[in-house]
Amino acid sequence: MKKILALLGLLPLAVQAAVPLLDGVQSAENQLLTQSGRWFVSGENGVFEGDFDGRVFSKQRLTARLLNGQAHQCYFLGMTERQGRLYTVCTDNVLNPLATKRLFVLNLADPAGELNEMFNPTDVVLPNGMATLPDGSLLLADSGAPLLPGKLLRFTVNAHGAVDGQSVYYRYVLNKPNGLKVDGQRLYVSLNPLAYAGLSQLRRYTLGAAGPQDGVVLFSSWWFLDDFTLSSDGVVVAEFLGNRVVHVSESGQLLREARVTQPTSVQLWRGAAVPAGDVTVTERGSGRLLRLPGFGAWPR
């Protein structure tokens, strides 16, 4: 009865405890679970691959190389998978809007592969979430300059996996995009106000020939929304400034919550190293990765 009342909003939901998995990812940002089950985490000090030996989790930093072959450290953020390759974006200085932005690629067929610089995006202030569109092009969220709106950039990719060019896919007027997810012909975007204080939203769009259309608000929060993950019964969202992770239905009903300090990303698992339905969370300040047992439903 208490659970039913909680779901109806008549009682507060129980706050779920998180289980530590690993640490040491400075300013932990994003996660990516590939189709083959490889797990990657980005942060200020690189991109790491997480590994589970049956007893404990460990991590290994991927070597990132510039176009000239020189090893390079960068502040990595969004990641996406496309046709057997991992694409990730970084900035040489997250506090400098004019710092060089770099797009790297990893061949997922190579278990000991390296990240290789392949393209330098322009007109990008603060790169963040990435996603792959149905036509195979890459989508990047640019949160924009302080107190100014952001935009979505589209990168066309050729048959060899190289970027042919970039264009503006969608411009916001009063919002700064952060996280991105694509599910079929639907695009999900987490949006924050210009001053990062005010009402944040998770919106769902229909992908059309002219870009995102018919935006619908799925979830609203007075706390800064960071990354999110899609489940079969809704969305799991990281409320960065709210210090919690919430699982909500697509109608906006709160299903469960967990207290996490400065969560930046969430990943819903489909099994293997982490049981299906569990959610892993990056905690920015501590650099820890946490697990929320049974927090989500099945991934889409």
Side-chain angles (χ1 to χ4, degrees):
M1 176 61 70
K2 287 185 177 180
K3 184 175 181 181
I4 294 175
L5 292 175
L7 291 175
L8 292 174
L10 301 179
L11 285 177
L13 291 176
V15 177
Q16 186 166 338
V19 179
L21 285 185
L22 56 84
D23 58 16
V25 180
Q26 184 178 346
S27 299
E29 282 290 346
N30 290 84
Q31 301 177 71
L32 177 68
L33 183 64
T34 69
Q35 293 298 315
S36 62
R38 295 176 69 179
W39 179 39
F40 298 91
V41 183
S42 65
E44 183 176 351
N45 50 355
V47 173
F48 296 83
E49 181 167 9
D51 182 59
F52 182 62
D53 65 2
R55 297 180 302 108
V56 296
F57 280 88
S58 61
K59 66 182 187 304
Q60 181 176 352
R61 186 207 309 266
L62 302 180
T63 299
R65 297 194 182 278
L66 300 179
L67 291 171
N68 61 10
Q70 180 181 357
H72 184 69
Q73 290 200 22
C74 202
Y75 196 123
F76 284 92
L77 297 119
M79 296 179 287
T80 189
E81 182 180 5
R82 178 191 183 275
Q83 296 183 359
R85 294 181 175 91
L86 179 152
Y87 293 85
T88 180
V89 66
C90 79
T91 175
D92 283 351
N93 186 340
V94 72
L95 298 178
N96 180 4
L98 302 179
T100 300
K101 314 304 187 297
R102 307 177 191 273
L103 187 64
F104 284 79
V105 63
L106 168 71
N107 181 2
L108 292 169
D110 184 356
E114 298 180 337
L115 291 167
N116 292 290
E117 183 183 19
M118 58 175 299
F119 185 73
N120 295 129
T122 58
D123 190 29
V124 179
V125 177
L126 181 59
N128 219 306
M130 290 189 70
T132 303
L133 291 169
D135 65 1
S137 57
L138 306 178
L139 199 61
L140 171 67
D142 177 14
S143 293
L147 302 180
L148 294 177
K151 60 185 178 296
L152 304 180
L153 288 175
R154 176 176 176 265
F155 302 101
T156 55
V157 182
N158 62 32
H160 303 289
V163 172
D164 285 335
Q166 71 172 63
S167 60
V168 175
Y169 190 67
Y170 191 82
R171 288 189 184 276
Y172 287 92
V173 178
L174 297 173
N175 299 103
K176 305 172 83 64
N178 192 304
L180 298 176
K181 293 291 183 295
V182 172
D183 179 36
Q185 293 297 318
R186 295 179 294 184
L187 169 67
Y188 297 76
V189 185
S190 56
L191 297 164
N192 294 295
L194 302 185
Y196 294 120
L199 190 65
S200 295
Q201 296 178 335
L202 178 66
R203 293 185 194 170
R204 183 188 66 213
Y205 300 88
T206 299
L207 292 172
Q213 300 172 0
D214 305 322
V216 175
V217 177
L218 299 183
F219 178 65
S220 298
S221 170
W222 291 106
W223 303 108
F224 178 96
L225 296 184
D226 210 311
D227 197 24
F228 57 94
T229 187
L230 304 177
S231 73
S232 58
D233 64 347
V235 185
V236 179
V237 189
E239 288 186 291
F240 178 71
L241 294 181
N243 293 320
R244 70 172 185 166
V245 174
V246 295
H247 184 180
V248 298
S249 68
E250 290 228 9
S251 62
Q253 180 185 25
L254 181 62
L255 303 176
R256 55 184 62 86
E257 68 175 287
R259 293 295 173 182
V260 177
T261 303
Q262 294 184 336
T264 54
S265 73
V266 285
Q267 175 64 61
L268 181 58
W269 285 70
R270 50 182 179 268
V274 175
D278 286 11
V279 170
T280 51
V281 185
T282 50
E283 194 175 57
R284 178 182 173 84
S286 69
R288 298 190 306 169
L289 280 98
L290 311 172
R291 179 171 66 90
L292 298 173
F295 193 82
W298 292 101
R300 295 190 201 178

